[in-house]
Amino acid sequence: MTRRVAMASGLALIAAWTAGCAVRAVPARAAAVSTTDTVAVLPLHNATEAAFADRRAHAILVALLQQRGLKVLSYPLRGPDNPLEATQPPSLQESLQWARREGARWAMSGTVTEWRYKSGVDGEPAVGITLSLTDVRSGEVVWSATGARTGWGYEALAAVGQSQIEDLLRGLQVQSVPAAERR
């Protein structure tokens, strides 16, 4: 009897652990970004049915990059507040030109592939996102990462999104420059 209880407990533990799953793919080599460089966060592409998912992820991304000590420029997001009156976002090339004009060294772009509560009894939050770091001077993508995560039914969608973006950003190595060298 004890063995069956232990086996059932173990299976229940495995099922509970895998219910809040995350999948991510980040490059084996981290990209190095200096705290003296400016990172321009470009508009994210919204590939979801959720209105303003790109703006939500954009706001989280800007805050997390700033928390890591980076100088961040946020692309001025304009457009109507009504999702039924959506305007065409700028192209990546237009956004990169803006980043060059603003003097940014790096540009962060990406796509929100999922940002919703799943249907069903528990209604778990689900987030999918890709991020890319581009060298503004050359236009070369030097780092990219992608990931998806689901949370528990009681978790907020923004919390799961923040957790996923934080996880992806672990692939960026932020290098601090001593104050004496910044002058």
Side-chain angles (χ1 to χ4, degrees):
M1 181 73 171
T2 306
R3 186 173 179 188
R4 287 184 185 167
V5 171
M7 181 74 106
S9 297
L11 290 174
L13 182 61
I14 290 170
W17 180 72
T18 58
C21 289
V23 175
R24 72 181 176 115
V26 293
R29 199 177 105 226
V33 179
S34 171
T35 55
T36 60
D37 294 335
T38 300
V39 177
V41 179
L42 307 181
L44 300 177
H45 174 69
N46 186 0
T48 74
E49 295 177 3
F52 303 124
D54 53 335
R55 291 185 183 195
R56 293 176 184 133
H58 185 272
I60 292 169
L61 180 59
V62 166
L64 291 175
L65 289 171
Q66 288 172 332
Q67 287 176 4
R68 297 186 79 193
L70 296 171
K71 292 190 292 186
V72 178
L73 283 174
S74 180
Y75 189 92
L77 298 173
R78 294 185 187 95
D81 290 332
N82 183 347
L84 298 176
E85 298 174 9
T87 58
Q88 188 68 19
S91 70
L92 182 58
Q93 290 308 316
E94 291 170 331
S95 300
L96 281 173
Q97 288 173 357
W98 170 84
R100 280 187 201 100
R101 283 193 308 271
E102 295 296 320
R105 173 70 177 92
W106 306 102
M108 181 72 72
S109 60
T111 301
V112 181
T113 57
E114 188 172 20
W115 195 275
R116 67 186 177 98
Y117 286 100
K118 290 176 157 185
S119 58
V121 176
D122 293 333
E124 297 100 351
V127 170
I129 192 162
T130 65
L131 297 173
S132 297
L133 186 70
T134 302
D135 181 330
V136 172
R137 296 174 191 156
S138 69
E140 178 187 359
V141 174
V142 296
W143 173 88
S144 63
T146 186
R149 179 180 306 254
T150 60
W152 298 92
Y154 59 83
E155 287 183 283
L157 182 56
V160 174
Q162 178 177 333
S163 180
Q164 182 60 47
I165 294 169
E166 282 177 327
D167 200 28
L168 296 179
L169 289 178
R170 287 191 180 101
L172 282 182
Q173 180 183 6
V174 178
Q175 298 176 338
S176 297
V177 177
E181 292 181 29
R182 284 186 234 159
R183 296 179 188 153

